[in-house]
Every structure is written in C-alpha cells, then in structure tokens.
C-alpha cells in the first residue's frame, strides 16, 4: 500500500513550459519537483492546481496518459486562479493533487467502437486526452470523427496539432468549424450542433461531447433527431469544487458527487439526476 | 453497572487525567461543550445549542501552511496530533450523528484531521430522562433511554450509573463501585413512555428513498416550503450531521494558511461559479438541504438518513421552518 497522504494536502509541482494557444487559452506542462510526471491518470480525470495565496481550482487533464514525462493542462483565462496562471512564467512552482473523477471508459465501453468527438471552444481540453489515448492505442478503436468548433479561427485550441497530426492520421477525420466567416478561413462556417446534424453520423457510433452548456443542449437535440440512443452519448459536467474528494458537499447533485462519480456521465445517467448543473 | 454519587463527579473527572469536554452553561445560559476544569458544572439542560460535532469537525481548522517566494513554494505540514480525550454527556442523537459523520469523513479517501480526533476520543453518552417536544430521535430508531458510545451513563436524582460498551470504556470506569440496575431500569421505562408520546416521534418517512428521488425533487410544494427561508444557514450550523465545508486561505504576511470552515448549502455562493449558478434561488438551495438528508444520503448509505431528530433546527430556525414540516408536507401518508 502506498504511504498515507492527507488527501487535502497537495504536492509541489513545477510548470516547465507554457504554450499560448489562443488569445485566452494557454497550455501548461506540469511535472513533479523530481522532473517526473506527478501521477498516472485516466482520460477525463482532473487535478486540483493551486497557487497558495490565490486559490485552488479543478482542471481537466489535457494530456493523454500515454504522455509519459508530464501532465498538460489547457486552461482558459476566466477568473482568479486562471488569471494568475496566465500571467506566470515557466519555472513557477504550483501545488497539485489528484487525479480525481471517474474518467472516460476508454478501456471498456469505448473499445472497438466507432467514435465521434464533438467539442466547442475550451471543451476540447478533456477530449484532447481521450483523442490522443485513442491514437496511441489505435487498434482498439474503430473510425474516429472529430467535430470541433470555436468562435473564430484564432480561438481553435491546438490548431497546429489538429492540422499536422490528427487530420493526417488514417481513420481519423477532422471537421473544423468557426461561428462566423473570416477572410483567411477556407473551412466550414456555422455552429457545432448544426454541423453535427449536417454530417449525420451513423447512430451506432459512440459520441463524446464537451463544450459550453448551450452547445451540449443543441447538439444533443440534433443527435436525438438523428436517432441516437442516450446510452451511447457521453459528456462532462462542471460544478464548483472545493475538496474533489466527495466530502465538502459542494458538487453534490442528486445521489452523485460530480468530483468523484463524474465529471464524465452518460446521457442516460444524467436523465436520472436532478437537472441542477 | 457502575455507580457514582453526583457529588463525586468532579473527583472522578479529575482522576481520568485527560481532557474532558462536557455540556456546561456559559454566562449567557446557553449550554455548550466546554473543557472541564474544577468548578465547571454539568448543565441541567437537555442539550447543547451547538452539537458535539465541533470536537471532531471544528467550525474552523487549519489544514496546511505555505510559504511562497518568487517562483518557489514551501509546504509546511503541521502534523495533526490529538491526545486521548473524553466527551462526557453526549446525547443519543448526537452520538448517532457521529456515525453519520464517520460515513463521510472515514470513507475512502479518509480525512486524517477528523480521524485523528475520532481515534483519540472516548465517548460517554448520557441517557435522556426528559425529552422535549422538539425531539424526534425515535423516528430514526434511536433509543434516547439507552444511547451508544464507549460508556453509557444515566443520571438519577443523586447518582450517575455507568455501563461500559467497549474495551476503552471499561477501562475508563474500572475504578468505580458497582451499582444496582433497578434505578436505571425505572428511569428507562419512564423515558420511553415520554418518547412514545412525542408529537413528531413517529414521523413517517416512507417515500423518501432513491426510488422516489425525482418525484420528491419535482414536488411543487418546495415553493411554499422555501418561500420564507432567509438563507441564514442557522439550521446547517446547529445540525450535528451537516458536514459541508469550504476551503479558504488567509495570508498572515509570513505564510499562507489554508483552512477549512463550515459552509452551508443554504448560501447562494455555495455553488456559484464564474460560469453560472445551478441553484439560482433559495428554493433550490432549501430543497438541496432536505433532499440530501432524506433522499440522497440514505440512498448512498444503506438507508441511513442524514438526520437524527435532535430538534435543533426546530428550535432555532427564525422562520420556524424545519425538516419535520418538510417531511410532513411531502412525506408519507402516516403523518396525518
Ligand atoms: S436536520 Fe434538524 S433535527 Fe435533524 S439532525 Fe439536523 S438539526 Fe437535528
Ligand atoms: S430553513 Fe430556517 S434556519 Fe435554515 S436557512 Fe432557512 S431560515 Fe435559516
Ligand atoms: S468538490 Fe467537495 S464533494 Fe465534490
């Protein structure tokens, strides 16, 4: 058995690299002080990052478990802790604890399936982990389609990786879209939910979606129209968190604690919960 | 069964040679758990205003300190070590509440701050002899005439009677003289008679279970129930089973102290995020408190409700709203 650690006491980490993805999204590479990856995770799981004096907040881990040397977090600037993270320089120490949550069923339910990933804006962060995990274990999964949209071309996170790696891989088709026309943009224009409907995927596929609530809502409506079953659709929920241990009570919805039982849920599971997210 | 004349309580507590906490009246006449010292009197009141949970889960406690300098951070863990201590005079309801808190704090991953205190505590419960109208522990199968704990105590006119329930408890009272059980039995019969007549003692909670979760959640009467709620959080703070907490930081100028403090699902900022507020009005917050105690918690915990019927929220809510009214309004038929 591992040595007992007080679950609320974090360990130290260091931000070794910072990449600017969009005007308000940066990706942070984090290792332990020993230069190694702080812990092993499952795609979809999260970690608590903090700068003492500023606060602690939960972020989904963007990198795939197959990335061996560090964890990565793509973080959008939207308040206290994130503002601070965006302002700091590489070499900065932070605190980290985790991994938390249930993660996606990558080694069970997703196996052998044809997958569709649907992401809006920063919603790509948790899916990024799954997508790269699927790529690293390609033989275990069928066809992959990725539908990703953002406000503008500049707001597409991981644009280079998507263009230069994902789109070039066999069996993976990437469908990018932006909300409004831009002179230098040659691709699709329009909102994600409509695009998903236009693409009209086969209803036998497993869909994993992540993005703003409004995108989730309309994409889901479209998928229902296409005849998808809710038990084949996955998403992640966002709630205010403090402990991430299922104890402080903050993220409790119905009989579930989002920090512990989520953040990943199947849509048919969500139907059985009060609509308080 | 052991016996101790009431007049000898002080010398008994002194002989224990460890910190003892017991319910005592403060200068304003409110009973609260107080560290015993010679002259600190056991209260005559039925129960303390605040529950005994403070002794395991204090209203505020420091978790860890940090020093931040340029790009470096230092984590300063101060080991949370407790010495053995005694909580004397815990009522049956509050003792039952410890088991509910255990389900939260001692389940994986174990909360070490709580566990350290819990492991070092000896609990001497005190049977009730004069339950009040607000008590409804019986609805949860709690026997106020025979509470649990390491030692169970009964107080009669002139004596305490003690029965050890655990090995730890046995050691605690080993030095006392033996006593005759008949006085205890007589008191128990009387207490149970009172308990059987309590106005809310037979609260019917049928229908409050996971199978009826959505039905209860969607009940239209939450609106009238929650209408006058001030969101003051009094009910959560006096409640022996409420365990929600916040984690915050305080900058001493030298270190950053990360501490936790009680929080309340009745407060609007409990779930408020920059991205939105899933419980925008008091209706949702109010409903969360009672749904958690009566439906969600039992569904996750072998049917054990998150209430022990101590009656504190019945006494303290400024608008006289409480869990009994909620249960009667949207609960079982048997509530009449
Ligand atoms: S809900 Fe009210 S009666 Fe029940 S344990 Fe809490 S304070 Fe006591
Ligand atoms: S139910 Fe009563 S005690 Fe509780 S928050 Fe509302 S007004 Fe305050
Ligand atoms: S964040 Fe504390 S219970 Fe989920």
């Amino acid at each position: 058995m591992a040595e007992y650690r007080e679950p609320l006491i974090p360990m130290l980490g260091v931000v070794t690299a910072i990449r600017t993805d969009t005007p308000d999204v940066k990706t942070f590479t984090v290792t332990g002080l020993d230069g190694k990856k702080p812990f092993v995770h499952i795609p979809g799981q999260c970690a608590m990052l903090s700068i003492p004096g500023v606060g602690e907040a939960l972020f989904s881990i963007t990198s795939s478990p197959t990335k061996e040397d560090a964890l990565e977090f793509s973080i959008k600037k939207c308040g206290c802790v994130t503002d601070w993270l965006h302002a700091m320089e590489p070499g900065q120490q932070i605190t980290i604890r985790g991994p938390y949550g249930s993660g996606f069923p990558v080694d069970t339910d997703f196996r052998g399936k044809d997958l569709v990933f649907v992401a809006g804006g920063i919603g790509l962060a948790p899916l990024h982990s799954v997508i790269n995990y699927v790529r690293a274990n390609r033989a275990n999964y069928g066809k992959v389609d990725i539908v990703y949209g953002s406000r503008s071309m500049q707001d597409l996170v991981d644009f280079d990786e998507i263009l230069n790696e994902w789109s070039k891989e066999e069996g993976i088709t990437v469908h990018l879209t932006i909300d409004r026309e831009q002179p230098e943009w040659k691709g699709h224009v329009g909102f994600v939910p409509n695009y998903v409907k236009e693409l009209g995927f086969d209803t036998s596929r497993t869909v994993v979606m992540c993005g703003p609530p409004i995108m989730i809502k309309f994409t889901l409506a479209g998928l229902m129209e296409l005849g998808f079953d809710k038990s084949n659709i996955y998403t992640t929920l966002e709630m205010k968190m403090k402990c991430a241990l299922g104890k402080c009570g903050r993220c409790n919805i119905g009989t579930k604690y989002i920090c512990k039982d989520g953040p990943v849920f199947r849509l048919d599971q969500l139907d059985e919960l009060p609509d308080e997210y | 069964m052991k016996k101790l004349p009431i007049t000898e309580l002080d010398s008994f507590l002194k002989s224990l040679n460890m910190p003892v906490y017991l319910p005592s009246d403060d200068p304003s006449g409110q009973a609260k758990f107080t560290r015993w010292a010679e002259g600190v009197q056991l209260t005559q009141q039925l129960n303390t205003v605040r529950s005994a949970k403070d002794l395991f889960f204090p209203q505020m406690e420091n978790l860890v300190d940090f020093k931040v300098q340029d790009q470096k951070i230092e984590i300063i863990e101060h080991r949370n070590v407790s010495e053995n201590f005694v909580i004397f005079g815990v009522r049956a309801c509050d003792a039952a509440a410890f088991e509910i808190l255990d389900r939260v704090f001692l389940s994986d991953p174990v909360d070490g701050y709580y566990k350290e205190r819990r492991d070092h505590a000896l609990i001497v419960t005190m049977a009730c002899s004069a339950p009040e109208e607000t008590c409804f522990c019986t609805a949860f199968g709690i026997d106020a005439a025979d509470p649990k704990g390491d030692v169970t105590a009964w107080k009669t006119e002139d004596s305490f009677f003690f029965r050890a329930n655990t090995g730890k408890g046995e050691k605690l009272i080993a030095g006392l003289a033996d006593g005759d059980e008949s006085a205890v039995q007589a008191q128990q019969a009387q207490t149970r008679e009172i308990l059987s007549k309590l106005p809310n003692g037979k609260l019917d909670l049928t229908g409050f279970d996971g199978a009826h979760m959505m039905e209860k959640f969607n009940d239209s009467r939450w609106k009238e129930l929650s209408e006058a709620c001030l969101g003051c959080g009094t009910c959560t703070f006096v409640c022996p089973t409420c365990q929600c907490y916040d984690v915050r930081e305080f900058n001493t100028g030298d270190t950053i102290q990360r501490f936790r403090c009680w929080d309340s699902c009745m407060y609007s900022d409990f779930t408020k995020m920059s991205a939105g507020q899933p419980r925008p009005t008091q209706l949702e917050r109010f409903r969360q408190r009672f749904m958690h105690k009566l439906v969600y918690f039992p569904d996750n915990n072998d049917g054990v409700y998150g209430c022990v019927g101590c009656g504190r929220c019945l006494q303290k809510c400024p608008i006289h709203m409480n869990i009994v009214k909620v249960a009667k309004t949207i609960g079982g038929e048997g509530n009449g």
Side-chain angles (χ1 to χ4, degrees):
Chain A
M1 237 186 79
E3 188 201 339
Y4 174 77
R5 269 194 69 83
E6 190 60 53
L8 281 170
I9 299 185
M11 56 191 248
L12 286 180
V14 56
V15 174
T16 55
I18 301 173
R19 185 182 77 215
T20 302
D21 290 312
T22 76
D24 58 5
V25 177
K26 285 185 177 182
T27 297
F28 302 83
T29 307
V30 177
T31 68
L33 290 192
D34 57 4
K36 295 191 186 130
K37 182 154 86 170
F39 47 73
V40 181
H41 74 285
I42 303 167
Q45 281 189 309
C46 304
M48 273 283 188
L49 302 183
S50 94
I51 308 289
V54 182
E56 198 175 35
L58 195 75
F59 298 100
S60 68
I61 303 167
T62 317
S63 53
S64 161
T66 48
K67 180 176 171 62
E68 268 159 26
D69 53 344
L71 296 173
E72 282 174 357
F73 299 86
S74 294
I75 295 172
K76 185 174 168 162
K77 191 170 183 262
C78 61
C80 215
V81 180
T82 60
D83 286 354
W84 211 96
L85 290 168
H86 271 253
M88 77 189 185
E89 302 286 336
Q92 173 70 46
Q93 293 184 353
I94 57 169
T95 78
I96 178 166
R97 57 187 179 95
Y100 296 123
S102 50
F104 289 102
V106 283
D107 289 319
T108 51
D109 298 357
F110 285 7
R111 283 270 182 127
K113 298 281 165 57
D114 290 332
L115 304 167
V116 180
F117 295 100
V118 182
I122 190 66
L124 189 67
L127 296 194
H128 188 277
S129 177
V130 199
I131 292 169
N132 278 345
Y133 187 81
V134 167
R135 287 175 60 222
N137 299 281
R138 202 60 199 89
N140 294 336
Y141 309 93
K143 265 190 299 198
V144 173
D145 280 81
I146 301 166
V147 187
Y148 178 42
S150 247
R151 271 174 307 186
S152 74
M153 213 179 137
Q154 286 70 32
D155 287 300
L156 290 166
V157 183
D158 302 319
F159 198 43
D160 294 339
E161 187 179 3
I162 295 173
L163 281 194
N164 302 325
E165 297 180 34
W166 296 3
S167 336
K168 298 206 169 116
E169 215 159 291
E170 221 184 286
I172 298 184
T173 318
V174 178
H175 315 268
L176 296 178
T177 183
I178 57 172
D179 292 356
R180 256 168 237 94
E181 302 268 4
Q182 269 179 279
E184 60 284 33
W185 179 253
K186 303 273 171 300
H188 187 274
V189 177
F191 295 119
V192 169
N194 297 336
Y195 196 21
V196 171
K197 252 177 87 179
E198 276 169 40
L199 291 164
F201 298 103
D202 192 281
T203 55
S204 66
R205 300 182 71 161
T206 295
V207 182
V208 190
M209 52 181 189
C210 214
I214 191 87
M215 181 210 95
I216 302 284
K217 191 173 153 205
F218 287 111
T219 305
L220 178 64
L223 291 171
M224 292 292 98
E225 262 177 61
L226 290 172
F228 273 83
D229 194 299
K230 284 190 175 172
S231 63
N232 286 328
I233 307 173
Y234 294 78
T235 191
T236 62
L237 293 189
E238 201 185 327
M239 273 296 264
K240 187 169 173 181
M241 314 249 183
K242 280 287 175 171
C243 70
L245 309 170
K247 298 189 194 292
C248 78
R250 199 165 303 267
C251 71
N252 173 235
I253 298 177
T255 51
K256 304 283 185 222
Y257 290 86
I258 307 311
C259 65
K260 209 173 93 200
D261 306 311
V264 174
F265 288 97
R266 260 192 353 245
L267 266 293
D268 59 324
Q269 294 171 323
L270 285 187
D271 270 357
E272 290 168 11
L273 287 185
D275 183 14
E276 289 195 304
Y277 38 84
Chain B
M1 185 88 41
K2 303 281 188 182
K3 188 177 172 178
L4 176 79
I6 287 185
T7 48
E8 286 172 29
L9 180 64
D10 268 16
S11 54
F12 169 64
L13 295 179
K14 192 171 180 185
S15 75
L16 296 178
N17 243 329
M18 52 180 141
V20 177
Y21 295 85
L22 52 65
S24 181
D25 295 347
D26 72 6
S28 68
Q30 311 221 34
K32 64 174 192 198
F33 277 91
T34 311
R35 174 119 180 218
W36 177 83
E38 238 151 319
V40 174
Q41 300 283 327
L42 184 66
T43 182
Q44 302 289 333
Q45 304 185 55
L46 179 64
N47 215 345
T48 48
V49 174
R50 286 162 58 146
S51 81
K53 76 176 171 189
D54 297 56
L55 292 162
F56 298 128
F57 173 47
Q59 181 160 14
M60 199 179 292
E61 81 179 295
N62 209 353
L63 300 171
V64 58
D65 286 0
F66 301 98
K67 263 194 177 106
V68 182
Q69 203 169 30
D70 304 324
Q71 289 200 317
K72 291 211 174 352
I73 299 172
E74 188 190 341
I75 298 181
I76 307 160
E77 286 190 42
H78 20 132
R79 286 193 41 216
N80 157 43
V81 272
S82 180
E83 47 183 346
N84 287 340
F85 65 102
V86 176
I87 314 181
F88 185 92
V90 180
R91 295 299 187 187
C93 49
D94 284 3
F98 295 154
E99 289 172 25
I100 289 169
L101 295 178
D102 285 353
R103 284 174 179 269
V104 176
F105 290 112
L106 299 184
S107 60
D108 186 51
V110 173
D111 186 289
Y113 305 94
Y114 177 88
K115 183 172 190 294
E116 176 70 16
R117 297 191 189 96
R118 196 76 171 88
D119 284 348
H120 286 87
L122 261 134
I123 294 165
V124 180
T125 57
M126 182 71 67
C128 298
S129 58
E132 289 171 358
E133 291 226 315
T134 47
C135 299
F136 58 111
C137 48
T138 47
F140 301 99
I142 297 164
D143 185 0
D146 195 351
K148 296 184 183 175
D150 296 296
V151 173
T152 307
W154 288 265
K155 188 178 165 214
T156 63
E157 202 112 302
D158 54 6
S159 302
F160 290 107
F161 290 86
F162 297 105
R163 183 195 65 212
N165 306 318
T166 65
K168 275 208 255 184
E170 216 146 279
K171 272 194 215 138
L172 197 78
I173 56 170
L176 298 177
D178 288 330
D180 170 34
E181 295 191 11
S182 57
V184 166
Q185 281 161 356
Q187 189 201 67
Q188 283 184 315
Q190 247 180 30
T191 308
R192 286 183 184 135
E193 177 68 22
I194 305 172
L195 288 169
S196 73
K197 292 194 183 119
L198 291 176
N200 302 316
K202 295 188 185 68
L203 198 64
D204 180 6
L205 295 168
T206 41
F208 286 108
D209 53 46
H212 297 84
M213 175 166 82
M214 291 315 288
E215 181 196 319
K216 295 289 178 215
F217 183 87
N218 289 320
D219 196 298
S220 61
R221 286 163 295 185
W222 286 113
K223 189 169 181 306
E224 59 188 61
L225 285 168
S226 63
E227 217 141 47
C229 174
L230 305 167
C232 66
T234 302
C235 51
T236 55
F237 288 136
V238 295
C239 180
T241 70
C242 271
Q243 107 296 320
C244 287
Y245 64 78
D246 194 4
V247 177
R248 291 171 173 246
E249 289 177 344
F250 174 71
N251 191 339
T252 64
D254 179 36
T255 56
I256 310 288
Q257 296 186 335
R258 189 170 288 172
F259 64 95
R260 78 163 146 209
C261 51
W262 295 352
D263 204 346
S264 174
C265 58
M266 288 292 200
Y267 292 158
S268 61
D269 63 358
F270 189 65
T271 51
K272 201 160 148 202
M273 298 174 282
S274 49
Q277 165 61 294
R279 297 199 186 105
T281 72
Q282 198 58 25
L283 185 152
E284 293 90 23
R285 298 165 209 145
F286 180 93
R287 175 171 59 191
Q288 168 65 15
R289 175 161 195 267
F290 298 103
M291 284 294 287
H292 182 83
K293 289 191 180 308
L294 296 173
V295 181
Y296 311 154
F297 191 84
D299 195 60
N300 282 326
N301 290 281
D302 316 308
V304 174
Y305 291 104
C307 171
V308 293
C310 73
R312 285 186 178 89
C313 60
L314 281 72
Q315 293 168 349
K316 295 295 173 203
C317 172
I319 59 145
H320 304 291
M321 184 36 71
N322 57 65
I323 195 161
V324 169
K325 284 190 184 164
V326 168
K328 285 189 174 171
T329 305
I330 64 174
E333 308 263 305
N335 289 318

